[in-house]
Every structure is written in structure tokens, then in C-alpha cells.
PDB file of all heavy atoms in Angstrom:
ATOM      1  N   SER A   1       7.111 -71.199  16.585  1.00  0.00           N
ATOM      2  CA  SER A   1       6.235 -70.192  17.169  1.00  0.00           C
ATOM      3  C   SER A   1       4.828 -70.745  17.425  1.00  0.00           C
ATOM      4  O   SER A   1       4.291 -71.519  16.633  1.00  0.00           O
ATOM      5  CB  SER A   1       6.130 -68.980  16.236  1.00  0.00           C
ATOM      6  OG  SER A   1       5.199 -68.039  16.737  1.00  0.00           O
ATOM      7  N   ILE A   2       4.240 -70.325  18.558  1.00  0.00           N
ATOM      8  CA  ILE A   2       2.837 -70.662  18.822  1.00  0.00           C
ATOM      9  C   ILE A   2       1.950 -69.449  18.518  1.00  0.00           C
ATOM     10  O   ILE A   2       0.752 -69.461  18.787  1.00  0.00           O
ATOM     11  CB  ILE A   2       2.614 -71.123  20.281  1.00  0.00           C
ATOM     12  CG1 ILE A   2       2.884 -70.008  21.285  1.00  0.00           C
ATOM     13  CG2 ILE A   2       3.503 -72.332  20.589  1.00  0.00           C
ATOM     14  CD1 ILE A   2       2.508 -70.362  22.717  1.00  0.00           C
ATOM     15  N   ASP A   3       2.523 -68.419  17.903  1.00  0.00           N
ATOM     16  CA  ASP A   3       1.829 -67.150  17.669  1.00  0.00           C
ATOM     17  C   ASP A   3       1.514 -66.981  16.174  1.00  0.00           C
ATOM     18  O   ASP A   3       2.050 -67.693  15.317  1.00  0.00           O
ATOM     19  CB  ASP A   3       2.736 -66.009  18.158  1.00  0.00           C
ATOM     20  CG  ASP A   3       1.961 -64.753  18.503  1.00  0.00           C
ATOM     21  OD1 ASP A   3       0.726 -64.753  18.385  1.00  0.00           O
ATOM     22  OD2 ASP A   3       2.601 -63.768  18.909  1.00  0.00           O
ATOM     23  N   HIS A   4       0.635 -66.024  15.858  1.00  0.00           N
ATOM     24  CA  HIS A   4       0.318 -65.652  14.471  1.00  0.00           C
ATOM     25  C   HIS A   4      -0.056 -66.868  13.623  1.00  0.00           C
ATOM     26  O   HIS A   4       0.520 -67.101  12.556  1.00  0.00           O
ATOM     27  CB  HIS A   4       1.493 -64.909  13.824  1.00  0.00           C
ATOM     28  CG  HIS A   4       1.939 -63.709  14.601  1.00  0.00           C
ATOM     29  ND1 HIS A   4       1.125 -62.616  14.832  1.00  0.00           N
ATOM     30  CD2 HIS A   4       3.102 -63.443  15.252  1.00  0.00           C
ATOM     31  CE1 HIS A   4       1.781 -61.728  15.555  1.00  0.00           C
ATOM     32  NE2 HIS A   4       2.978 -62.199  15.831  1.00  0.00           N
ATOM     33  N   THR A   5      -1.014 -67.646  14.100  1.00  0.00           N
ATOM     34  CA  THR A   5      -1.354 -68.891  13.424  1.00  0.00           C
ATOM     35  C   THR A   5      -2.769 -69.291  13.793  1.00  0.00           C
ATOM     36  O   THR A   5      -3.301 -68.856  14.816  1.00  0.00           O
ATOM     37  CB  THR A   5      -0.352 -70.004  13.833  1.00  0.00           C
ATOM     38  OG1 THR A   5      -0.728 -71.233  13.220  1.00  0.00           O
ATOM     39  CG2 THR A   5      -0.315 -70.207  15.342  1.00  0.00           C
ATOM     40  N   LYS A   6      -3.392 -70.113  12.956  1.00  0.00           N
ATOM     41  CA  LYS A   6      -4.739 -70.618  13.249  1.00  0.00           C
ATOM     42  C   LYS A   6      -4.631 -71.900  14.059  1.00  0.00           C
ATOM     43  O   LYS A   6      -4.035 -72.868  13.624  1.00  0.00           O
ATOM     44  CB  LYS A   6      -5.507 -70.889  11.954  1.00  0.00           C
ATOM     45  CG  LYS A   6      -6.945 -71.355  12.189  1.00  0.00           C
ATOM     46  CD  LYS A   6      -7.587 -71.850  10.900  1.00  0.00           C
ATOM     47  CE  LYS A   6      -7.879 -70.675   9.985  1.00  0.00           C
ATOM     48  NZ  LYS A   6      -8.521 -71.119   8.718  1.00  0.00           N
ATOM     49  N   HIS A   7      -5.244 -71.891  15.245  1.00  0.00           N
ATOM     50  CA  HIS A   7      -5.101 -73.013  16.173  1.00  0.00           C
ATOM     51  C   HIS A   7      -6.293 -73.955  16.199  1.00  0.00           C
ATOM     52  O   HIS A   7      -6.154 -75.088  16.646  1.00  0.00           O
ATOM     53  CB  HIS A   7      -4.939 -72.476  17.613  1.00  0.00           C
ATOM     54  CG  HIS A   7      -3.653 -71.772  17.879  1.00  0.00           C
ATOM     55  ND1 HIS A   7      -3.473 -70.440  17.646  1.00  0.00           N
ATOM     56  CD2 HIS A   7      -2.482 -72.235  18.365  1.00  0.00           C
ATOM     57  CE1 HIS A   7      -2.239 -70.098  17.985  1.00  0.00           C
ATOM     58  NE2 HIS A   7      -1.614 -71.159  18.438  1.00  0.00           N
ATOM     59  N   SER A   8      -7.478 -73.497  15.836  1.00  0.00           N
ATOM     60  CA  SER A   8      -8.770 -74.055  16.205  1.00  0.00           C
ATOM     61  C   SER A   8      -9.050 -73.611  17.632  1.00  0.00           C
ATOM     62  O   SER A   8      -8.123 -73.252  18.390  1.00  0.00           O
ATOM     63  CB  SER A   8      -8.848 -75.582  16.099  1.00  0.00           C
ATOM     64  OG  SER A   8      -8.281 -76.227  17.223  1.00  0.00           O
ATOM     65  N   LEU A   9     -10.301 -73.597  18.019  1.00  0.00           N
ATOM     66  CA  LEU A   9     -10.645 -73.155  19.389  1.00  0.00           C
ATOM     67  C   LEU A   9     -10.057 -74.114  20.424  1.00  0.00           C
ATOM     68  O   LEU A   9      -9.659 -73.694  21.519  1.00  0.00           O
ATOM     69  CB  LEU A   9     -12.156 -73.051  19.545  1.00  0.00           C
ATOM     70  CG  LEU A   9     -12.825 -71.940  18.720  1.00  0.00           C
ATOM     71  CD1 LEU A   9     -14.331 -71.930  18.953  1.00  0.00           C
ATOM     72  CD2 LEU A   9     -12.234 -70.579  19.042  1.00  0.00           C
ATOM     73  N   PHE A  10     -10.007 -75.393  20.080  1.00  0.00           N
ATOM     74  CA  PHE A  10      -9.353 -76.370  20.953  1.00  0.00           C
ATOM     75  C   PHE A  10      -7.884 -75.992  21.163  1.00  0.00           C
ATOM     76  O   PHE A  10      -7.387 -75.956  22.289  1.00  0.00           O
ATOM     77  CB  PHE A  10      -9.450 -77.766  20.351  1.00  0.00           C
ATOM     78  CG  PHE A  10      -8.391 -78.728  20.837  1.00  0.00           C
ATOM     79  CD1 PHE A  10      -8.445 -79.256  22.105  1.00  0.00           C
ATOM     80  CD2 PHE A  10      -7.328 -79.086  20.003  1.00  0.00           C
ATOM     81  CE1 PHE A  10      -7.462 -80.132  22.562  1.00  0.00           C
ATOM     82  CE2 PHE A  10      -6.345 -79.962  20.449  1.00  0.00           C
ATOM     83  CZ  PHE A  10      -6.418 -80.490  21.727  1.00  0.00           C
ATOM     84  N   GLY A  11      -7.184 -75.697  20.074  1.00  0.00           N
ATOM     85  CA  GLY A  11      -5.775 -75.318  20.168  1.00  0.00           C
ATOM     86  C   GLY A  11      -5.585 -74.076  21.019  1.00  0.00           C
ATOM     87  O   GLY A  11      -4.649 -73.980  21.812  1.00  0.00           O
ATOM     88  N   ALA A  12      -6.524 -73.121  20.889  1.00  0.00           N
ATOM     89  CA  ALA A  12      -6.417 -71.874  21.651  1.00  0.00           C
ATOM     90  C   ALA A  12      -6.626 -72.117  23.158  1.00  0.00           C
ATOM     91  O   ALA A  12      -5.907 -71.558  23.993  1.00  0.00           O
ATOM     92  CB  ALA A  12      -7.446 -70.863  21.152  1.00  0.00           C
ATOM     93  N   SER A  13      -7.576 -72.980  23.502  1.00  0.00           N
ATOM     94  CA  SER A  13      -7.808 -73.257  24.921  1.00  0.00           C
ATOM     95  C   SER A  13      -6.632 -74.027  25.516  1.00  0.00           C
ATOM     96  O   SER A  13      -6.277 -73.838  26.692  1.00  0.00           O
ATOM     97  CB  SER A  13      -9.118 -74.036  25.129  1.00  0.00           C
ATOM     98  OG  SER A  13      -9.076 -75.323  24.545  1.00  0.00           O
ATOM     99  N   LYS A  14      -5.989 -74.876  24.716  1.00  0.00           N
ATOM    100  CA  LYS A  14      -4.813 -75.603  25.199  1.00  0.00           C
ATOM    101  C   LYS A  14      -3.596 -74.679  25.291  1.00  0.00           C
ATOM    102  O   LYS A  14      -2.746 -74.851  26.165  1.00  0.00           O
ATOM    103  CB  LYS A  14      -4.518 -76.804  24.298  1.00  0.00           C
ATOM    104  CG  LYS A  14      -5.548 -77.913  24.366  1.00  0.00           C
ATOM    105  CD  LYS A  14      -5.590 -78.627  25.716  1.00  0.00           C
ATOM    106  CE  LYS A  14      -4.511 -79.673  25.852  1.00  0.00           C
ATOM    107  NZ  LYS A  14      -4.701 -80.519  27.067  1.00  0.00           N
ATOM    108  N   VAL A  15      -3.493 -73.682  24.401  1.00  0.00           N
ATOM    109  CA  VAL A  15      -2.421 -72.679  24.523  1.00  0.00           C
ATOM    110  C   VAL A  15      -2.557 -71.950  25.856  1.00  0.00           C
ATOM    111  O   VAL A  15      -1.574 -71.766  26.588  1.00  0.00           O
ATOM    112  CB  VAL A  15      -2.470 -71.656  23.365  1.00  0.00           C
ATOM    113  CG1 VAL A  15      -1.638 -70.416  23.703  1.00  0.00           C
ATOM    114  CG2 VAL A  15      -1.946 -72.271  22.080  1.00  0.00           C
ATOM    115  N   ALA A  16      -3.785 -71.552  26.205  1.00  0.00           N
ATOM    116  CA  ALA A  16      -4.021 -70.852  27.460  1.00  0.00           C
ATOM    117  C   ALA A  16      -3.552 -71.700  28.638  1.00  0.00           C
ATOM    118  O   ALA A  16      -2.869 -71.213  29.552  1.00  0.00           O
ATOM    119  CB  ALA A  16      -5.504 -70.503  27.603  1.00  0.00           C
ATOM    120  N   ALA A  17      -3.899 -72.988  28.607  1.00  0.00           N
ATOM    121  CA  ALA A  17      -3.511 -73.898  29.682  1.00  0.00           C
ATOM    122  C   ALA A  17      -1.996 -74.093  29.703  1.00  0.00           C
ATOM    123  O   ALA A  17      -1.362 -74.079  30.773  1.00  0.00           O
ATOM    124  CB  ALA A  17      -4.219 -75.239  29.501  1.00  0.00           C
ATOM    125  N   ASP A  18      -1.409 -74.288  28.536  1.00  0.00           N
ATOM    126  CA  ASP A  18       0.036 -74.492  28.387  1.00  0.00           C
ATOM    127  C   ASP A  18       0.806 -73.329  29.015  1.00  0.00           C
ATOM    128  O   ASP A  18       1.736 -73.524  29.820  1.00  0.00           O
ATOM    129  CB  ASP A  18       0.336 -74.614  26.886  1.00  0.00           C
ATOM    130  CG  ASP A  18       1.766 -74.963  26.538  1.00  0.00           C
ATOM    131  OD1 ASP A  18       2.679 -74.238  26.958  1.00  0.00           O
ATOM    132  OD2 ASP A  18       1.973 -75.960  25.792  1.00  0.00           O
ATOM    133  N   ILE A  19       0.409 -72.095  28.672  1.00  0.00           N
ATOM    134  CA  ILE A  19       1.090 -70.908  29.189  1.00  0.00           C
ATOM    135  C   ILE A  19       0.881 -70.768  30.698  1.00  0.00           C
ATOM    136  O   ILE A  19       1.800 -70.376  31.442  1.00  0.00           O
ATOM    137  CB  ILE A  19       0.573 -69.640  28.464  1.00  0.00           C
ATOM    138  CG1 ILE A  19       0.904 -69.704  26.965  1.00  0.00           C
ATOM    139  CG2 ILE A  19       1.154 -68.383  29.095  1.00  0.00           C
ATOM    140  CD1 ILE A  19       2.378 -69.680  26.645  1.00  0.00           C
ATOM    141  N   LEU A  20      -0.324 -71.103  31.170  1.00  0.00           N
ATOM    142  CA  LEU A  20      -0.583 -71.062  32.609  1.00  0.00           C
ATOM    143  C   LEU A  20       0.359 -71.987  33.375  1.00  0.00           C
ATOM    144  O   LEU A  20       0.899 -71.613  34.426  1.00  0.00           O
ATOM    145  CB  LEU A  20      -2.035 -71.462  32.889  1.00  0.00           C
ATOM    146  CG  LEU A  20      -3.103 -70.363  32.799  1.00  0.00           C
ATOM    147  CD1 LEU A  20      -4.499 -70.987  32.820  1.00  0.00           C
ATOM    148  CD2 LEU A  20      -2.953 -69.370  33.939  1.00  0.00           C
ATOM    149  N   VAL A  21       0.537 -73.204  32.872  1.00  0.00           N
ATOM    150  CA  VAL A  21       1.390 -74.171  33.563  1.00  0.00           C
ATOM    151  C   VAL A  21       2.840 -73.683  33.544  1.00  0.00           C
ATOM    152  O   VAL A  21       3.571 -73.792  34.555  1.00  0.00           O
ATOM    153  CB  VAL A  21       1.273 -75.586  32.951  1.00  0.00           C
ATOM    154  CG1 VAL A  21       2.171 -76.566  33.693  1.00  0.00           C
ATOM    155  CG2 VAL A  21      -0.177 -76.077  32.991  1.00  0.00           C
ATOM    156  N   GLN A  22       3.278 -73.118  32.421  1.00  0.00           N
ATOM    157  CA  GLN A  22       4.614 -72.524  32.378  1.00  0.00           C
ATOM    158  C   GLN A  22       4.739 -71.417  33.417  1.00  0.00           C
ATOM    159  O   GLN A  22       5.746 -71.303  34.125  1.00  0.00           O
ATOM    160  CB  GLN A  22       4.895 -71.943  30.994  1.00  0.00           C
ATOM    161  CG  GLN A  22       5.097 -72.950  29.885  1.00  0.00           C
ATOM    162  CD  GLN A  22       5.488 -72.251  28.589  1.00  0.00           C
ATOM    163  OE1 GLN A  22       6.457 -71.500  28.548  1.00  0.00           O
ATOM    164  NE2 GLN A  22       4.729 -72.493  27.522  1.00  0.00           N
ATOM    165  N   GLU A  23       3.699 -70.576  33.481  1.00  0.00           N
ATOM    166  CA  GLU A  23       3.759 -69.388  34.344  1.00  0.00           C
ATOM    167  C   GLU A  23       3.772 -69.754  35.823  1.00  0.00           C
ATOM    168  O   GLU A  23       4.485 -69.119  36.624  1.00  0.00           O
ATOM    169  CB  GLU A  23       2.587 -68.456  34.030  1.00  0.00           C
ATOM    170  CG  GLU A  23       2.780 -67.031  34.515  1.00  0.00           C
ATOM    171  CD  GLU A  23       3.986 -66.350  33.896  1.00  0.00           C
ATOM    172  OE1 GLU A  23       4.381 -66.698  32.760  1.00  0.00           O
ATOM    173  OE2 GLU A  23       4.564 -65.464  34.556  1.00  0.00           O
ATOM    174  N   TYR A  24       2.999 -70.756  36.211  1.00  0.00           N
ATOM    175  CA  TYR A  24       3.018 -71.179  37.604  1.00  0.00           C
ATOM    176  C   TYR A  24       4.406 -71.727  37.987  1.00  0.00           C
ATOM    177  O   TYR A  24       4.817 -71.642  39.143  1.00  0.00           O
ATOM    178  CB  TYR A  24       1.929 -72.230  37.885  1.00  0.00           C
ATOM    179  CG  TYR A  24       0.645 -71.604  38.402  1.00  0.00           C
ATOM    180  CD1 TYR A  24      -0.162 -70.829  37.568  1.00  0.00           C
ATOM    181  CD2 TYR A  24       0.243 -71.778  39.717  1.00  0.00           C
ATOM    182  CE1 TYR A  24      -1.324 -70.243  38.033  1.00  0.00           C
ATOM    183  CE2 TYR A  24      -0.925 -71.202  40.205  1.00  0.00           C
ATOM    184  CZ  TYR A  24      -1.702 -70.427  39.346  1.00  0.00           C
ATOM    185  OH  TYR A  24      -2.860 -69.849  39.815  1.00  0.00           O
ATOM    186  N   GLY A  25       5.115 -72.261  36.993  1.00  0.00           N
ATOM    187  CA  GLY A  25       6.498 -72.649  37.233  1.00  0.00           C
ATOM    188  C   GLY A  25       7.411 -71.441  37.352  1.00  0.00           C
ATOM    189  O   GLY A  25       8.109 -71.265  38.356  1.00  0.00           O
ATOM    190  N   ARG A  26       7.375 -70.580  36.364  1.00  0.00           N
ATOM    191  CA  ARG A  26       8.318 -69.461  36.311  1.00  0.00           C
ATOM    192  C   ARG A  26       8.016 -68.391  37.366  1.00  0.00           C
ATOM    193  O   ARG A  26       8.916 -67.789  37.932  1.00  0.00           O
ATOM    194  CB  ARG A  26       8.299 -68.842  34.909  1.00  0.00           C
ATOM    195  CG  ARG A  26       8.806 -69.788  33.829  1.00  0.00           C
ATOM    196  CD  ARG A  26       8.499 -69.249  32.426  1.00  0.00           C
ATOM    197  NE  ARG A  26       8.672 -70.295  31.421  1.00  0.00           N
ATOM    198  CZ  ARG A  26       9.791 -70.517  30.757  1.00  0.00           C
ATOM    199  NH1 ARG A  26      10.850 -69.778  31.004  1.00  0.00           N
ATOM    200  NH2 ARG A  26       9.852 -71.464  29.851  1.00  0.00           N
ATOM    201  N   TYR A  27       6.722 -68.123  37.603  1.00  0.00           N
ATOM    202  CA  TYR A  27       6.331 -67.050  38.511  1.00  0.00           C
ATOM    203  C   TYR A  27       6.364 -67.497  39.974  1.00  0.00           C
ATOM    204  O   TYR A  27       6.880 -66.787  40.844  1.00  0.00           O
ATOM    205  CB  TYR A  27       4.930 -66.550  38.147  1.00  0.00           C
ATOM    206  CG  TYR A  27       4.534 -65.256  38.839  1.00  0.00           C
ATOM    207  CD1 TYR A  27       4.811 -64.017  38.259  1.00  0.00           C
ATOM    208  CD2 TYR A  27       3.866 -65.279  40.060  1.00  0.00           C
ATOM    209  CE1 TYR A  27       4.448 -62.837  38.885  1.00  0.00           C
ATOM    210  CE2 TYR A  27       3.498 -64.092  40.703  1.00  0.00           C
ATOM    211  CZ  TYR A  27       3.796 -62.880  40.101  1.00  0.00           C
ATOM    212  OH  TYR A  27       3.443 -61.702  40.738  1.00  0.00           O
ATOM    213  N   PHE A  28       5.817 -68.674  40.241  1.00  0.00           N
ATOM    214  CA  PHE A  28       5.719 -69.167  41.615  1.00  0.00           C
ATOM    215  C   PHE A  28       6.839 -70.164  41.976  1.00  0.00           C
ATOM    216  O   PHE A  28       6.923 -70.607  43.122  1.00  0.00           O
ATOM    217  CB  PHE A  28       4.369 -69.843  41.870  1.00  0.00           C
ATOM    218  CG  PHE A  28       3.194 -68.896  41.800  1.00  0.00           C
ATOM    219  CD1 PHE A  28       2.229 -69.034  40.822  1.00  0.00           C
ATOM    220  CD2 PHE A  28       3.062 -67.866  42.721  1.00  0.00           C
ATOM    221  CE1 PHE A  28       1.135 -68.170  40.763  1.00  0.00           C
ATOM    222  CE2 PHE A  28       1.977 -66.998  42.677  1.00  0.00           C
ATOM    223  CZ  PHE A  28       1.012 -67.142  41.692  1.00  0.00           C
ATOM    224  N   GLY A  29       7.653 -70.522  40.987  1.00  0.00           N
ATOM    225  CA  GLY A  29       8.756 -71.450  41.257  1.00  0.00           C
ATOM    226  C   GLY A  29       8.305 -72.885  41.450  1.00  0.00           C
ATOM    227  O   GLY A  29       9.035 -73.702  42.031  1.00  0.00           O
ATOM    228  N   MET A  30       7.122 -73.230  40.954  1.00  0.00           N
ATOM    229  CA  MET A  30       6.625 -74.601  41.085  1.00  0.00           C
ATOM    230  C   MET A  30       7.275 -75.517  40.057  1.00  0.00           C
ATOM    231  O   MET A  30       7.708 -75.071  38.987  1.00  0.00           O
ATOM    232  CB  MET A  30       5.088 -74.618  40.941  1.00  0.00           C
ATOM    233  CG  MET A  30       4.374 -74.009  42.132  1.00  0.00           C
ATOM    234  SD  MET A  30       2.605 -73.685  41.855  1.00  0.00           S
ATOM    235  CE  MET A  30       2.004 -75.320  41.404  1.00  0.00           C
ATOM    236  N   LYS A  31       7.334 -76.785  40.406  1.00  0.00           N
ATOM    237  CA  LYS A  31       7.974 -77.772  39.519  1.00  0.00           C
ATOM    238  C   LYS A  31       6.940 -78.237  38.482  1.00  0.00           C
ATOM    239  O   LYS A  31       6.231 -79.213  38.687  1.00  0.00           O
ATOM    240  CB  LYS A  31       8.525 -78.944  40.342  1.00  0.00           C
ATOM    241  CG  LYS A  31       9.608 -78.521  41.324  1.00  0.00           C
ATOM    242  CD  LYS A  31      10.198 -79.695  42.059  1.00  0.00           C
ATOM    243  CE  LYS A  31       9.328 -80.150  43.220  1.00  0.00           C
ATOM    244  NZ  LYS A  31       9.525 -79.301  44.429  1.00  0.00           N
ATOM    245  N   THR A  32       6.840 -77.501  37.397  1.00  0.00           N
ATOM    246  CA  THR A  32       5.838 -77.808  36.370  1.00  0.00           C
ATOM    247  C   THR A  32       6.504 -78.246  35.071  1.00  0.00           C
ATOM    248  O   THR A  32       7.515 -77.666  34.657  1.00  0.00           O
ATOM    249  CB  THR A  32       4.931 -76.595  36.090  1.00  0.00           C
ATOM    250  OG1 THR A  32       5.720 -75.511  35.564  1.00  0.00           O
ATOM    251  CG2 THR A  32       4.220 -76.134  37.352  1.00  0.00           C
ATOM    252  N   GLY A  33       5.925 -79.262  34.437  1.00  0.00           N
ATOM    253  CA  GLY A  33       6.409 -79.760  33.151  1.00  0.00           C
ATOM    254  C   GLY A  33       5.278 -79.816  32.149  1.00  0.00           C
ATOM    255  O   GLY A  33       4.183 -80.270  32.482  1.00  0.00           O
ATOM    256  N   ILE A  34       5.535 -79.326  30.952  1.00  0.00           N
ATOM    257  CA  ILE A  34       4.524 -79.277  29.889  1.00  0.00           C
ATOM    258  C   ILE A  34       4.966 -80.189  28.765  1.00  0.00           C
ATOM    259  O   ILE A  34       6.075 -80.041  28.226  1.00  0.00           O
ATOM    260  CB  ILE A  34       4.357 -77.833  29.352  1.00  0.00           C
ATOM    261  CG1 ILE A  34       3.861 -76.897  30.460  1.00  0.00           C
ATOM    262  CG2 ILE A  34       3.419 -77.807  28.158  1.00  0.00           C
ATOM    263  CD1 ILE A  34       4.972 -76.199  31.226  1.00  0.00           C
ATOM    264  N   PHE A  35       4.118 -81.139  28.406  1.00  0.00           N
ATOM    265  CA  PHE A  35       4.442 -82.109  27.357  1.00  0.00           C
ATOM    266  C   PHE A  35       3.486 -81.926  26.186  1.00  0.00           C
ATOM    267  O   PHE A  35       2.290 -82.205  26.299  1.00  0.00           O
ATOM    268  CB  PHE A  35       4.360 -83.534  27.911  1.00  0.00           C
ATOM    269  CG  PHE A  35       5.482 -83.857  28.872  1.00  0.00           C
ATOM    270  CD1 PHE A  35       5.452 -83.390  30.174  1.00  0.00           C
ATOM    271  CD2 PHE A  35       6.578 -84.599  28.461  1.00  0.00           C
ATOM    272  CE1 PHE A  35       6.484 -83.654  31.056  1.00  0.00           C
ATOM    273  CE2 PHE A  35       7.629 -84.871  29.344  1.00  0.00           C
ATOM    274  CZ  PHE A  35       7.572 -84.403  30.641  1.00  0.00           C
ATOM    275  N   ARG A  36       4.022 -81.420  25.074  1.00  0.00           N
ATOM    276  CA  ARG A  36       3.204 -81.137  23.887  1.00  0.00           C
ATOM    277  C   ARG A  36       3.147 -82.384  23.010  1.00  0.00           C
ATOM    278  O   ARG A  36       4.040 -82.657  22.215  1.00  0.00           O
ATOM    279  CB  ARG A  36       3.801 -79.946  23.129  1.00  0.00           C
ATOM    280  CG  ARG A  36       3.702 -78.651  23.913  1.00  0.00           C
ATOM    281  CD  ARG A  36       4.407 -77.497  23.243  1.00  0.00           C
ATOM    282  NE  ARG A  36       4.173 -76.235  23.987  1.00  0.00           N
ATOM    283  CZ  ARG A  36       4.841 -75.104  23.778  1.00  0.00           C
ATOM    284  NH1 ARG A  36       5.802 -75.057  22.854  1.00  0.00           N
ATOM    285  NH2 ARG A  36       4.555 -74.035  24.484  1.00  0.00           N
ATOM    286  N   GLY A  37       2.076 -83.131  23.179  1.00  0.00           N
ATOM    287  CA  GLY A  37       1.966 -84.441  22.557  1.00  0.00           C
ATOM    288  C   GLY A  37       1.650 -84.402  21.075  1.00  0.00           C
ATOM    289  O   GLY A  37       0.926 -83.527  20.599  1.00  0.00           O
ATOM    290  N   GLY A  38       2.214 -85.375  20.354  1.00  0.00           N
ATOM    291  CA  GLY A  38       1.762 -85.673  18.992  1.00  0.00           C
ATOM    292  C   GLY A  38       0.506 -86.521  19.114  1.00  0.00           C
ATOM    293  O   GLY A  38      -0.364 -86.239  19.930  1.00  0.00           O
ATOM    294  N   CYS A  39       0.406 -87.576  18.345  1.00  0.00           N
ATOM    295  CA  CYS A  39      -0.722 -88.503  18.505  1.00  0.00           C
ATOM    296  C   CYS A  39      -0.405 -89.458  19.646  1.00  0.00           C
ATOM    297  O   CYS A  39       0.563 -90.217  19.568  1.00  0.00           O
ATOM    298  CB  CYS A  39      -0.970 -89.282  17.215  1.00  0.00           C
ATOM    299  SG  CYS A  39      -1.941 -88.367  16.023  1.00  0.00           S
ATOM    300  N   LEU A  40      -1.197 -89.390  20.697  1.00  0.00           N
ATOM    301  CA  LEU A  40      -1.034 -90.274  21.860  1.00  0.00           C
ATOM    302  C   LEU A  40      -1.958 -91.462  21.647  1.00  0.00           C
ATOM    303  O   LEU A  40      -3.132 -91.282  21.359  1.00  0.00           O
ATOM    304  CB  LEU A  40      -1.399 -89.547  23.144  1.00  0.00           C
ATOM    305  CG  LEU A  40      -0.873 -88.103  23.283  1.00  0.00           C
ATOM    306  CD1 LEU A  40      -1.332 -87.511  24.597  1.00  0.00           C
ATOM    307  CD2 LEU A  40       0.636 -88.056  23.140  1.00  0.00           C
ATOM    308  N   THR A  41      -1.440 -92.656  21.813  1.00  0.00           N
ATOM    309  CA  THR A  41      -2.252 -93.814  21.465  1.00  0.00           C
ATOM    310  C   THR A  41      -1.900 -95.008  22.347  1.00  0.00           C
ATOM    311  O   THR A  41      -0.985 -94.943  23.152  1.00  0.00           O
ATOM    312  CB  THR A  41      -2.082 -94.146  19.962  1.00  0.00           C
ATOM    313  OG1 THR A  41      -3.089 -95.053  19.559  1.00  0.00           O
ATOM    314  CG2 THR A  41      -0.694 -94.711  19.661  1.00  0.00           C
ATOM    315  N   GLY A  42      -2.663 -96.077  22.176  1.00  0.00           N
ATOM    316  CA  GLY A  42      -2.432 -97.277  22.975  1.00  0.00           C
ATOM    317  C   GLY A  42      -3.690 -98.118  23.063  1.00  0.00           C
ATOM    318  O   GLY A  42      -4.755 -97.716  22.609  1.00  0.00           O
ATOM    319  N   PRO A  43      -3.581 -99.308  23.652  1.00  0.00           N
ATOM    320  CA  PRO A  43      -4.685-100.276  23.634  1.00  0.00           C
ATOM    321  C   PRO A  43      -5.895 -99.863  24.462  1.00  0.00           C
ATOM    322  O   PRO A  43      -6.975-100.409  24.270  1.00  0.00           O
ATOM    323  CB  PRO A  43      -4.050-101.546  24.206  1.00  0.00           C
ATOM    324  CG  PRO A  43      -2.853-101.084  24.974  1.00  0.00           C
ATOM    325  CD  PRO A  43      -2.362 -99.870  24.260  1.00  0.00           C
TER     326      PRO A  43
END
């Protein structure tokens, strides 16, 4: 669940974005993919 939990304000703003991207896919039929990253790293 992404609900009933403490996110931090950063987490909350990313939830808003995450849901928007899902919605533009489901509502408008756009080809949208959401990748919920763990720790992203590299050189």
C-alpha cells in the first residue's frame, strides 16, 4: 500500500507525480511506465 503511511514531503510529491503518470496512461491511453526505484547509483 502507498496509503495510510508517513512518506516525508518528498515522498508525497513523488506519489502525486506517480499517480499522475499512471492516470495519463489509464485515462488518456498513453504509453506510460512508472519505475519505483530503490537506490539508484553509478559512477
Side-chain angles (χ1 to χ4, degrees):
S1 175
I2 65 172
D3 204 0
H4 305 298
T5 177
K6 183 190 288 181
H7 291 87
S8 81
L9 293 180
F10 157 73
S13 65
K14 291 293 279 190
V15 164
D18 186 304
I19 297 295
L20 275 168
V21 180
Q22 289 185 55
E23 199 61 28
Y24 266 70
R26 295 168 194 268
Y27 192 90
F28 294 116
M30 288 168 57
K31 297 184 280 279
T32 63
I34 298 92
F35 289 77
R36 293 174 175 168
C39 278
L40 317 179
T41 194

